[in-house]
């Protein structure tokens, strides 16, 4: 059972940057990993994904964050990052990392508790 712990959420001004971290309790190289967000009253949105290491760790982004967010993974640290730049108020949400079915962008088995990002 993989445990995921997110960190790095904060309150920032519009235009600022944050880096979120998602650290796993064990090796996650075989998993496609994603970052998801959910704002109050809105549906959950998958914003970034990174393929498993065997598939070349290819990345992809939702249109809403393309060009501003960057997902990466540090395999030695069992950690996935989300670098967020040029933040907008509409980026305000609880951000979760989780394993993902890469082909569908749907959440898979493992899920973290989330870290809050507030942009004003």
């Amino acid at each position: 059972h993989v445990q995921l712990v997110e960190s790095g959420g904060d309150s920032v001004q519009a235009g600022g940057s944050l880096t979120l971290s998602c650290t796993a309790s064990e090796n996650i190289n075989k998993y496609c990993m994603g970052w998801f967000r959910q704002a109050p009253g809105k549906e959950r949105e998958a914003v970034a994904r990174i393929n498993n290491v065997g598939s070349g760790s290819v990345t992809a982004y939702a249109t809403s964050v393309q060009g501003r967010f960057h997902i990466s993974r540090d395999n030695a640290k069992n950690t996935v990052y989300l670098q967020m730049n040029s933040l907008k108020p509409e980026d305000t949400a609880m951000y979760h990392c989780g394993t993902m079915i890469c082909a569908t962008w749907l959440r898979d088995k493992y899920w973290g508790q989330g870290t809050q990002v507030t942009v004003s």
Side-chain angles (χ1 to χ4, degrees):
H1 180 81
V2 177
Q3 294 182 318
L4 301 169
V5 178
E6 301 95 334
S7 61
D10 205 346
S11 296
V12 297
Q13 292 190 340
S17 297
L18 280 176
T19 299
L20 306 183
S21 300
C22 169
T23 300
S25 58
E26 59 185 75
N27 186 292
I28 52 172
N29 289 0
K30 66 180 178 180
Y31 294 109
C32 174
M33 299 297 297
W35 282 95
F36 305 77
R37 67 185 181 187
Q38 188 162 21
K42 294 188 176 180
E43 291 188 358
R44 185 173 64 223
E45 176 187 21
V47 297
R49 67 156 174 81
I50 184 165
N51 281 53
N52 60 38
V53 174
S55 297
S57 299
V58 177
T59 60
Y61 302 89
T63 302
S64 57
V65 306
Q66 181 76 45
R68 300 188 298 121
F69 289 13
H70 177 68
I71 187 171
S72 61
R73 62 195 306 162
D74 185 329
N75 302 323
K77 295 182 179 179
N78 296 332
T79 298
V80 177
Y81 301 98
L82 186 68
Q83 172 71 41
M84 305 187 295
N85 301 315
S86 302
L87 283 162
K88 305 175 181 180
E90 51 264 44
D91 294 319
T92 295
M94 181 70 77
Y95 283 72
H96 299 263
C97 73
T99 55
M100 178 190 270
I101 302 170
C102 256
T104 63
W105 285 73
L106 293 176
R107 173 186 160 183
D108 201 3
K109 284 192 297 186
Y110 304 118
W111 186 250
Q113 84 289 347
T115 187
Q116 178 68 39
V117 172
T118 302
V119 185
S120 59

